[in-house]
Amino acid sequence: QLQASGGGLVQAGGSLRLSCAASGRTRATYHMGWFRQTPGKEREFVAAVNRSGSGTYYADSVKGRFTISRDDAENTAFLQMSDLKPEDTAVYYCAVARYYTGDWKSSMDYWGKGTQVTVSS
C-alpha cells in the first residue's frame, strides 16, 4: 500500500513537501514516481526516482522547481515543491514500478490515493 500526504492550500510562490509512505520494502526493488491529475484531464507524469536513487527524472513543467527524493530506510518518497504556481493545482498521486518500460505512467504497478494540492494566485 502507498499513502500520500502533505497536500494543502498554499499561495503562489510557496512550497509544499509531499510524502509517500510504502508499506513494503522499496530499497532496490521499486522505482518511485509522482503524478498529478486535474478534473477532465489525464493523469500526468511529474517526477520519478530510480531504484538506487541515482537517477531522477522530471516533467519539463516542474524542472528546477520540484525535487524528488527517497528514503529507503523509511520506505518513503518525497516531492519537494517550490515556487508553486496556480497551474500546479491538482491531485497528486504516488506510485511504484518494478520495471521501467519507456513510459513512467504505464510502468507503474501500484498507485496510492491522491493528496490535493491547491495553489492560490
Side-chain angles (χ1 to χ4, degrees):
Q1 284 188 339
L2 299 170
Q3 181 64 54
S5 61
L9 173 64
V10 64
Q11 288 188 333
S15 299
L16 279 176
R17 188 193 197 206
L18 305 184
S19 299
C20 175
S23 59
R25 171 192 170 101
T26 56
R27 186 191 301 273
T29 302
Y30 290 106
H31 306 300
M32 304 181 80
W34 287 96
F35 299 78
R36 65 188 182 187
Q37 188 170 22
T38 54
K41 292 190 176 181
E42 288 193 5
R43 194 169 298 184
E44 65 175 6
F45 169 73
V46 175
V49 57
N50 65 6
R51 287 193 196 92
S52 65
S54 62
T56 55
Y57 312 88
Y58 297 94
D60 288 343
S61 59
V62 306
K63 277 181 184 175
R65 300 188 298 121
F66 291 11
T67 302
I68 188 171
S69 60
R70 61 190 293 161
D71 181 348
D72 288 316
E74 299 294 332
N75 296 320
T76 301
F78 302 97
L79 186 69
Q80 177 67 47
M81 305 186 295
S82 302
D83 190 23
L84 283 160
K85 303 176 181 181
E87 51 263 42
D88 294 318
T89 295
V91 177
Y92 283 71
Y93 298 87
C94 63
V96 296
R98 290 189 66 90
Y99 305 106
Y100 176 61
T101 62
D103 174 79
W104 282 113
K105 190 168 74 172
S106 62
S107 297
M108 296 298 161
D109 298 306
Y110 303 102
W111 294 83
K113 293 183 180 179
T115 184
Q116 176 71 47
V117 171
T118 303
V119 184
S120 63
S121 57

